[in-house]
Amino acid sequence: MSDPLLVVEGLRTVVSAGGVSWPVVDGISFHLNRGETFALVGESGCGKSLTALSITRLLPREASVAGGHVRLGGVDLALLPERDMRDIRGRRIAMIFQEPATSLNPVLTVGAQVEEALVRHLRLSPRQARQRVVELFEAVGIPDARRRLSEFPFQLSGGLRQRVMIAMAIACEPDILIADEPTTALDVTIQAQVLELLRDLQQRTGMAMLLITHDLGVVSQMASRVAVMYAGRLVEMSEASRFFASPMHPYSRKLFASLPEASARGRRLASIPGFVPSVGEQVTGCRFAPRCERAEATCRGDEPALVEVVAGREVRCIHAGLDALPPLHPEADVPPTDVPVREGRECTEAPSATLLEVSGLTVHFPIRRGLLKRVVGYVRAVDGVSFQVREGRTLALVGESGCGKTTVGKSVVRLLEESRGSVAYDGVNLETLAQRRLRTMRKKFQIVFQDPFSSLDPRMRVAEILQEGIIALDPGCGPGARSERTARLLEQVGLEPESQWRYPHEFSGGQRQRIAIARALAVEPRLLVCDEPTSALDVSVQAQILNLLLDLQDRLGLAYLFITHNLSVVRHIAHDVAVMYLGRIVEHGEAEAVLNAPAHPYTRALLEAVPRIGSRFGSRSGALSADLPSPASPPSGCHFHPRCTQALDTCRTVYPSMTEAGSHHGAACHLLRR
């Protein structure tokens, strides 16, 4: 067997402040072989991203490597001068960062940023580099790739920015790819294409991959080996097949129990009580003991070592291998007594009043070219969308990146003005309101943005961020009440109240998303537009947030417009589903009908592309392969026909009208008329 490509031995990274240092990565060791995928999983704040940044020597100023070795092909990277590290980064080790909005240069076009790596490392001419970038953009599923070269990061959706980051990382075909949440912002179809691209690149070049993710379905499909990280330590390491068959550490098993599944429909998800120890917090014994239901006095004494309990399986737990563990999917946590348990998300109650009504919503963005910036066309982001959201119910809006979901969400809360159509809240047409009246109504509807880093003011502490909306929209709330509400909100979203005195940059990506959710809930709205609210969260925190949203809906009658690409979450939380494709709704209905008996070929393809635990890569059939057409020039007839294996001649010329597929269920498809 050949020597490992990358060896990490006893890596220890500390964060320093005021002359005091605290370990955030505490003596971890693993190796990475050529051509394999090693997955690192765990909650936000466990040290996964700092491990990757330690390997590439890209740590923030307050962090530093205090011990251990990182060897690439036998060379200790810690001993190399920065000049030599620049030659390694991008060429031998590349990284897909977790937050593309902050990783891409806002003043350079995305094409120029990818070209830079090709010119720097491969010595390509500008013309060759530009052509290579077009090929890369097409490979990662960016529609209208050549036009996108001249666009800036702010002009792209979160999903498209993530694809640019992936294209940049694989541009020079590195020996090692460190992928930090590489598919977090991607819908399931593009995720499938990107994972296939990464797997093909591995097979062709022997590239190794360190995969950092909270998506256990992706890990199941891609990883050869898995390591679970908690509070800076590895608590379990195993071959992927054995890990998914029977995780051994109580923390690993809790992560599995937190997954939203059809069996949990209508019940609270199992979440892990408590918090990951914060930086500087002293924990004696096992670091998971304060949150572990199996903890004993021994667990709070000496910290257990990471030991091999069976061949190829290492676990840091005194119980591992000694006795039977509880079932893999235990009953979910018992909800508070004042919160009723739903028997399901189906429409079993009496019809409620319509809170939000969107009719014929159309949003077209002009395309300007030339010296005089003349309008030469339009991006048809939203093209005649109509739907209703009723009180106390959740409408999930699903579809691929670029289909117009986020534009719909921003139009609903009046952050964008529609070209045509209307948006009515509680019977009041918002487009006719004066700014003063609209301002007072904003307390009733709020939005959680997709990218928490760019939507949180970096100069404000968390307390100021949460209280800003309360001061503006609820002036009767005094300082004492605001402080109490701030602490309560942070606890509700899984953060310690003391974190209100910190700044956004001091939190992980998942923790920042929790702050964004708390900010939206601060003014106690009746309607919440959630734009990918759980995409940056690991499964345990996702379970907490979904439980929170369901509890708030039950207690307060909140309505949600839930924009997401996670169909497992849709299955758990939604009453109704609307599927969007290229600016139009192609299928809508009650969640049970749409998800269990999809009528449109596009909906079936979305469901087919969902990564599932236990399935290996390439085991799915029917996932979309063709690229998403550009919304600037949608195909004639049914927009989906170039990607549909069942397309008829009529599909190529006539756009189908909405046809009933069952009770409270319809789809825009000619196949339903046959």
Side-chain angles (χ1 to χ4, degrees):
M1 183 177 178
S2 60
D3 293 334
L5 183 60
L6 180 74
V7 177
V8 177
E9 293 179 343
L11 179 63
R12 191 169 187 269
T13 302
V14 298
V15 171
S16 303
V20 182
S21 297
W22 299 278
V24 287
V25 177
D26 200 2
I28 71 170
S29 301
F30 62 88
H31 67 274
L32 192 58
N33 297 316
R34 188 174 295 277
E36 81 162 341
T37 298
F38 181 78
L40 198 58
V41 301
E43 290 177 281
S44 296
C46 284
K48 307 186 302 295
S49 294
L50 281 173
T51 298
L53 294 175
S54 300
I55 292 172
T56 55
R57 286 175 48 183
L58 290 173
L59 288 167
R61 184 178 303 174
E62 62 272 12
S64 60
V65 174
H69 302 278
V70 178
R71 294 188 175 90
L72 174 64
V75 177
D76 195 335
L77 299 183
L79 304 179
L80 293 180
E82 178 60 24
R83 180 183 60 188
D84 292 344
M85 277 302 299
R86 291 195 200 104
D87 292 333
I88 288 176
R89 296 191 200 106
R91 185 64 187 95
R92 297 203 62 193
I93 302 179
M95 185 166 178
I96 301 170
F97 294 94
Q98 184 174 3
E99 304 225 17
T102 57
S103 303
L104 295 172
N105 192 325
V107 300
L108 292 178
T109 64
V110 293
Q113 295 184 60
V114 182
E115 288 175 25
E116 183 181 20
L118 294 166
V119 173
R120 169 72 171 78
H121 294 294
L122 301 185
R123 309 295 188 217
L124 298 184
S125 68
R127 183 175 181 179
Q128 290 173 324
R130 190 173 184 82
Q131 181 57 38
R132 174 62 177 154
V133 174
V134 173
E135 295 170 359
L136 287 166
F137 279 11
E138 290 175 344
V140 297
I142 296 178
D144 203 2
R146 193 170 295 276
R147 179 176 66 85
R148 298 287 189 182
L149 295 180
S150 58
E151 293 189 344
F152 292 88
F154 74 89
Q155 295 176 282
L156 305 179
S157 68
L160 290 178
R161 285 195 294 263
Q162 186 75 317
R163 293 181 227 180
V164 171
M165 283 295 306
I166 294 170
M168 187 185 301
I170 66 175
C172 299
E173 299 188 354
D175 296 329
I176 298 173
L177 177 64
I178 300 176
D180 190 359
E181 303 287 0
T183 59
T184 291
L186 303 183
D187 50 79
V188 290
T189 55
I190 298 301
Q191 175 180 263
Q193 292 180 26
V194 168
L195 294 179
E196 182 178 3
L197 175 67
L198 294 178
R199 178 56 67 97
D200 289 345
L201 190 60
Q202 274 189 308
Q203 293 175 345
R204 182 164 52 85
T205 67
M207 177 185 74
M209 181 157 48
L210 174 59
L211 178 64
I212 298 171
T213 182
H214 59 253
D215 192 329
L216 293 175
V218 171
V219 175
S220 175
Q221 289 193 338
M222 294 291 291
S224 311
R225 291 183 296 124
V226 179
V228 181
M229 195 169 185
Y230 184 79
R233 290 279 205 181
L234 296 184
V235 298
E236 183 168 357
M237 190 154 50
S238 170
E239 292 180 2
S241 58
R242 293 184 176 184
F243 174 76
F244 284 100
S246 59
M248 300 185 74
H249 196 280
Y251 177 59
S252 305
R253 299 179 72 84
K254 275 290 188 180
L255 291 178
F256 276 84
S258 300
L259 294 170
E261 296 184 8
S263 59
R265 194 172 172 82
R267 294 189 289 112
R268 289 168 60 87
L269 291 166
S271 59
I272 306 177
F275 312 95
V276 177
S278 58
V279 175
E281 182 178 347
Q282 297 296 324
V283 180
T284 58
C286 174
R287 301 184 184 191
F288 187 62
R291 308 174 70 189
C292 181
E293 59 193 21
R294 295 168 55 83
E296 302 173 356
T298 310
C299 300
R300 296 177 174 87
D302 296 328
E303 183 180 14
L306 185 68
V307 297
E308 188 174 58
V309 293
V310 294
R313 302 202 69 176
E314 298 177 76
V315 184
R316 192 185 299 273
C317 181
I318 63 171
H319 298 292
L322 299 181
D323 58 357
L325 285 168
L328 184 58
H329 297 292
E331 287 296 312
D333 298 341
V334 178
T337 56
D338 61 334
V339 179
V341 179
R342 288 177 179 263
E343 294 301 324
R345 305 298 290 169
E346 297 85 5
C347 182
T348 56
E349 58 273 342
S352 52
T354 298
L355 188 63
L356 176 72
E357 184 163 8
V358 176
S359 301
L361 180 64
T362 301
V363 183
H364 293 175
F365 297 109
I367 301 172
R368 302 180 186 274
R369 288 183 184 153
L371 185 62
L372 300 178
K373 299 298 181 182
R374 290 192 176 94
V375 176
V376 297
Y378 290 90
V379 175
R380 300 173 181 270
V382 180
D383 203 13
V385 164
S386 300
F387 60 84
Q388 294 179 343
V389 181
R390 286 183 278 168
E391 288 184 339
R393 292 177 67 85
T394 300
L395 171 67
L397 195 60
V398 302
E400 293 175 282
S401 295
C403 73
K405 306 187 302 295
T406 296
T407 303
V408 169
K410 290 181 177 179
S411 299
V412 164
V413 297
R414 303 298 294 155
L415 294 179
L416 287 174
E417 293 188 4
E418 66 274 8
S419 305
R420 292 192 303 276
S422 65
V423 177
Y425 173 82
D426 205 11
V428 178
N429 194 339
L430 299 182
E431 67 181 57
T432 63
L433 291 182
Q435 284 297 321
R436 189 177 215 177
R437 177 79 189 285
L438 181 61
R439 179 183 174 88
T440 61
M441 287 197 68
R442 286 195 184 278
K443 181 180 178 181
K444 300 179 180 180
F445 49 85
Q446 290 288 300
I447 185 170
V448 179
F449 294 98
Q450 182 176 3
D451 189 340
F453 196 94
S454 59
S455 63
L456 299 177
D457 191 327
R459 300 166 298 179
M460 297 173 68
R461 297 181 190 270
V462 170
E464 297 171 303
I465 291 172
L466 298 188
Q467 294 181 22
E468 183 181 28
I470 301 174
I471 293 171
L473 301 177
D474 194 1
C477 188
R482 288 200 301 269
S483 296
E484 290 179 6
R485 191 186 295 185
T486 298
R488 185 172 65 252
L489 284 166
L490 289 172
E491 288 182 335
Q492 284 179 325
V493 298
L495 291 173
E496 295 174 332
E498 293 75 16
S499 62
Q500 65 182 293
W501 308 117
R502 295 159 62 188
Y503 291 92
H505 75 271
E506 299 179 77
F507 295 89
S508 68
Q511 290 169 329
R512 282 193 288 267
Q513 187 71 302
R514 296 184 233 179
I515 295 169
I517 293 171
R519 177 179 62 179
L521 295 172
V523 294
E524 300 176 349
R526 292 176 62 198
L527 170 69
L528 203 59
V529 177
C530 302
D531 188 4
E532 303 284 4
T534 61
S535 65
L537 305 182
D538 48 78
V539 291
S540 60
V541 178
Q542 175 181 264
Q544 294 175 17
I545 296 301
L546 293 178
N547 288 341
L548 170 65
L549 292 175
L550 291 176
D551 290 349
L552 291 170
Q553 189 171 61
D554 284 328
R555 288 200 301 265
L556 306 175
L558 286 178
Y560 299 128
L561 175 59
F562 202 91
I563 299 168
T564 183
H565 60 254
N566 190 329
L567 294 176
S568 297
V569 169
V570 171
R571 188 179 293 276
H572 181 75
I573 197 172
H575 296 91
D576 307 292
V577 176
V579 182
M580 279 192 74
Y581 186 78
L582 280 187
R584 299 186 181 186
I585 291 178
V586 298
E587 184 165 1
H588 69 82
E590 293 180 2
E592 279 292 302
V594 174
L595 299 178
N596 292 340
H600 198 283
Y602 178 59
T603 309
R604 290 196 290 271
L606 289 178
L607 292 168
E608 180 68 24
V610 175
R612 296 177 178 85
I613 291 177
S615 65
R616 291 299 296 169
F617 186 85
S619 62
R620 292 164 294 126
S621 60
L624 296 175
S625 57
D627 292 334
L628 180 72
S630 169
S633 55
S636 60
C638 174
H639 294 345
F640 185 63
H641 84 260
R643 308 172 76 188
C644 181
T645 57
Q646 301 173 271
L648 309 172
D649 291 338
T650 309
C651 302
R652 297 175 175 85
T653 56
V654 180
Y655 193 88
S657 59
M658 193 65 68
T659 303
E660 282 192 14
S663 178
H664 305 289
H665 184 194
C669 182
H670 290 298
L671 296 173
L672 293 178
R673 297 175 177 270
R674 299 180 65 185

